[in-house]
Amino acid sequence: MLIRDVLDLPNQVRKGDFVLVLSEGIRKPEDTVASYAITPSLVHAFDAALSVIHSALQDQRSQAAFLHGSFGSGKSHFMAVLELMLEGHAAPWSRPELHGLRDKFSWVGKKKFLRLPLHMIGALSIEQQVFQTYLAWVAENHP
């Protein structure tokens, strides 16, 4: 048996074929979740991220976290799935790997958050990028 008979392999692979653009990933939740390999370490990372958010909600104060990794390591995919969780979308919770988090963080999907998915590449400053993204969000959602 040949590997091409077992796996569905493309004839050609181009740079960027496996890179998820955060805003596109959020707009295609089923595809985003279906193409995500959720490992035990990612479940732990989602647990940590949701714990930071839960702590901020309980303490009623802002908290920051830093997500880092090399190009193509899955940062945007992670943030897209986290965004879908916070939104209460069913797609992430269809994955058995995440069922324990749904039970642990029962508030997820029930709280309202202003989520601004953005990239810092080419930004002049954090403030400028956050403000421009916020203005675009307001224009789209509350014209």
Side-chain angles (χ1 to χ4, degrees):
M1 180 176 281
L2 299 175
I3 196 164
R4 70 173 175 247
D5 298 329
V6 178
L7 300 174
D8 183 22
L9 299 172
N11 291 328
Q12 183 179 39
V13 177
R14 294 173 304 279
K15 182 180 176 183
D17 280 353
F18 300 105
V19 175
L20 177 86
V21 175
L22 179 57
S23 56
E24 290 175 16
I26 294 166
R27 285 193 295 269
K28 299 176 182 175
E30 285 79 13
D31 293 343
T32 297
V33 172
S35 66
Y36 200 37
I38 302 175
T39 63
S41 63
L42 280 172
V43 173
H44 177 72
F46 282 120
D47 187 314
L50 291 169
S51 293
V52 168
I53 296 166
H54 187 234
S55 175
L57 289 171
Q58 284 185 318
D59 298 344
Q60 295 185 350
R61 65 184 179 99
S62 295
Q63 291 194 18
F66 184 72
L67 177 63
H68 63 88
S70 60
F71 178 80
S73 64
K75 298 177 300 293
S76 292
H77 222 136
F78 178 85
M79 290 305 298
V81 173
L82 182 62
E83 158 84 10
L84 293 168
M85 288 176 171
L86 293 173
E87 182 183 303
H89 198 284
W93 307 116
S94 69
R95 297 290 299 267
E97 303 95 320
L98 300 175
H99 289 179
L101 296 178
R102 183 63 155 172
D103 296 336
K104 182 176 179 179
F105 299 103
S106 58
W107 55 268
V108 171
K110 297 175 185 168
K111 298 283 186 181
K112 288 187 178 184
F113 296 95
L114 171 61
R115 298 173 309 272
L116 299 173
L118 57 94
H119 292 275
M120 295 303 296
I121 295 173
L124 300 175
S125 68
I126 290 173
E127 294 83 359
Q128 172 259 347
Q129 191 68 7
V130 169
F131 188 60
Q132 282 186 346
T133 305
Y134 172 74
L135 290 178
W137 182 88
V138 169
E140 181 178 329
N141 293 283
H142 302 286

